[in-house]
Amino acid sequence: MATLVTLSERCGVDKGHEHALLQRCRAGDAGAYAELLCLYRDKAVNLAYGILGNPADAEDAAQEAFIRVFKNLRSFRGEAAFFSWLYRIVVNVSIEMLRRPSRREVPCGTQLHARTDAESEETERGVNVRSVLAALPVHLRAILVLREADELSYAEIAGILDIPLGTVRSRLSAAREAFRRKYREMVG
Amino acid sequence: MRCKEVRSLFSTLMDGELCAEDKSSVEDHLCGCRACQAGLDELVHSREALRSHLSLRVSHGFEGRVLQAIGQAAGESTCAARRPMLEALIDFMQPGWRQIAASVAGALLLLYVTCAAAGLGFGSAVRSGRAEPGWLPEPQMVLEEPYRYFWYRGWRSDEQPQKRTHRSSEEIERCFDVIFS
């Protein structure tokens, strides 16, 4: 079995330091909150991006998630890992955004900036990957991003999505198989 | 193990979450099955493609926007805490709840007026000497102790008041029969 290494540790965040940061945030220290934001900003935005497929929506979702974290920080008792709580909020906000009728619909390729010829092939591959990911059902997309982007353990994913371990295993297998099939159809 | 069974374990195998026994069985199968080996290679390849395109560079100024939004949210929550309780309650109540509350209040008022108009007495207060026959209690008193003030009309003026503080269930039923008949 794989050794359990939490996301905080992979991000280089010392658990004691994170605990102290959270305490300072609860006490209203704006600097502590800015530090916490820097630690998890990229992870939160990338998770939302994987689910939403749109950079602007991803940043909006991450912003909304951080605001909810701020509002509910006093009720966070630290029984679960902080990142697990944050990720659950990001996933929920992203799913809520997907249901909004006013959501921006930007094709996967259009948000990419103009690149040099040398980068065009890589860009095209990225567009294909994004298109395939966007074509998957949202529950498969979410679990795939949690596992592949952050290499979270099955137990961590189960905690974030609030599903049993067995469901994580079967859903992840289904998500990978669906991605493989669609990716092969697209790239040949 | 059959091919279908082996392929269902690929995902867990890639994550290193397979138990030693299953892992050994899958690897044995893969040694003799080119199709399954190709399937696993393809799955690994698609995973690598996905992993290499999942990151997004967060736009400049993201933290500033978030902190500003949090500052606004904090300001709103502080203002909300300072608002009078009644105003906050009105804000909290959705239109549907307002209609229900208004309906309940209207129904209570109608009941009170109907009782008074029908001459339903408020015998308890009269009997206890706190009021004269024909006296009407304040609405607040009725709301606080409705059972005390709903009484049969005959007790108010025509009959001798009796020193009783409790009513039988039959009397209460009779009272409600009169009110709702």
Side-chain angles (χ1 to χ4, degrees):
Chain A
M1 295 286 177
T3 310
L4 284 181
V5 182
T6 66
L7 182 74
S8 311
E9 288 163 348
R10 280 195 293 275
C11 289
V13 183
D14 176 54
K15 203 168 182 179
H17 178 60
E18 185 182 276
H19 182 71
L21 267 182
L22 291 171
Q23 291 282 42
R24 284 168 52 203
C25 287
R26 286 193 194 98
D29 184 342
Y33 199 81
E35 199 176 331
L36 201 65
L37 185 61
C38 283
L39 285 175
Y40 289 106
R41 171 197 63 191
D42 292 350
K43 295 286 184 186
V45 172
N46 278 303
L47 174 58
Y49 185 38
I51 297 171
L52 293 165
N54 179 321
D57 279 348
E59 289 197 356
D60 285 352
Q63 177 172 319
E64 175 64 28
F66 278 116
I67 291 170
R68 288 191 193 180
V69 164
F70 168 77
K71 284 181 175 172
N72 298 295
L73 202 54
R74 286 180 190 280
S75 65
F76 175 66
R77 288 176 291 182
E79 289 167 356
F82 172 75
F83 82 86
S84 175
W85 182 55
L86 170 66
Y87 269 36
R88 183 187 283 221
I89 294 173
V90 173
V91 169
N92 289 340
V93 171
S94 302
I95 291 172
E96 282 170 25
M97 287 189 75
L98 279 175
R99 290 174 182 157
R100 283 181 202 162
S102 59
R103 199 172 83 85
R104 286 179 284 255
E105 289 292 344
V106 180
C108 291
T110 58
Q111 73 271 15
L112 298 170
H113 303 296
R115 290 170 190 263
T116 62
D117 290 343
E119 291 174 323
S120 62
E121 191 181 335
E122 187 64 13
T123 304
E124 189 183 337
R125 194 176 297 134
V127 171
N128 288 336
V129 166
R130 286 277 156 213
S131 300
V132 171
L133 193 61
L136 298 182
V138 66
H139 67 287
L140 297 186
R141 219 182 306 167
I143 201 166
L144 208 50
V145 174
L146 285 170
R147 178 65 197 178
E148 305 301 6
D150 292 317
E151 298 182 51
L152 298 184
S153 71
Y154 284 13
E156 287 169 335
I157 294 172
I160 291 166
L161 298 180
D162 197 21
I163 53 177
L165 268 178
T167 306
V168 172
R169 195 172 285 118
S170 58
R171 194 180 287 181
L172 194 52
S173 179
R176 280 179 171 144
E177 180 55 28
F179 183 85
R180 180 197 64 80
R181 207 168 43 245
K182 286 182 186 292
Y183 187 67
R184 186 175 61 178
E185 286 169 12
M186 183 160 280
V187 300
Chain B
M1 273 188 173
R2 293 185 174 185
C3 291
K4 190 177 178 183
E5 196 180 349
V6 168
R7 285 170 187 242
S8 72
L9 297 174
F10 278 172
S11 175
T12 324
L13 176 73
M14 285 159 60
D15 290 332
E17 298 274 350
L18 214 53
C19 69
E21 189 183 349
D22 283 346
K23 187 181 175 189
S24 174
S25 299
V26 170
E27 285 173 349
D28 287 349
H29 180 93
L30 287 173
C31 287
C33 182
R34 285 188 176 183
C36 283
Q37 183 61 58
L40 178 60
D41 290 344
E42 195 181 340
L43 204 58
V44 172
H45 174 70
S46 65
R47 181 178 73 167
E48 293 310 316
L50 176 63
R51 283 186 169 181
S52 59
H53 293 97
L54 272 178
S55 62
L56 171 72
R57 189 181 296 171
V58 178
S59 69
H60 184 70
F62 175 75
E63 289 103 325
R65 289 199 302 278
V66 175
L67 289 172
Q68 190 180 5
I70 288 170
Q72 284 173 356
E76 283 167 10
S77 64
T78 309
C79 289
R82 286 177 185 156
R83 277 189 303 176
M85 188 179 289
L86 183 61
E87 194 182 331
L89 186 65
I90 290 169
D91 278 357
F92 174 75
M93 288 170 72
Q94 298 298 311
W97 283 104
R98 286 184 199 167
Q99 287 167 4
I100 291 169
S103 302
V104 170
L108 285 173
L109 184 65
L110 186 65
L111 184 64
Y112 173 73
V113 170
T114 306
C115 289
L120 285 172
F122 303 95
S124 174
V126 175
R127 283 197 310 280
S128 65
R130 284 195 288 141
E132 293 299 319
W135 166 84
L136 291 176
E138 293 297 321
Q140 185 63 29
M141 296 167 70
V142 178
L143 287 173
E144 285 174 358
E145 296 179 303
Y147 62 89
R148 187 182 286 280
Y149 298 101
F150 288 138
W151 200 238
Y152 186 52
R153 75 165 69 217
W155 284 47
R156 202 180 69 180
S157 56
D158 301 330
E159 297 179 9
Q160 283 292 321
Q162 296 176 21
K163 292 189 175 178
R164 291 194 305 174
T165 54
H166 300 288
R167 290 92 182 165
S168 67
S169 58
E170 289 81 6
E171 287 171 332
I172 293 172
E173 282 178 20
R174 194 171 51 156
C175 167
F176 277 93
D177 283 347
V178 171
I179 292 170
F180 294 108
S181 63

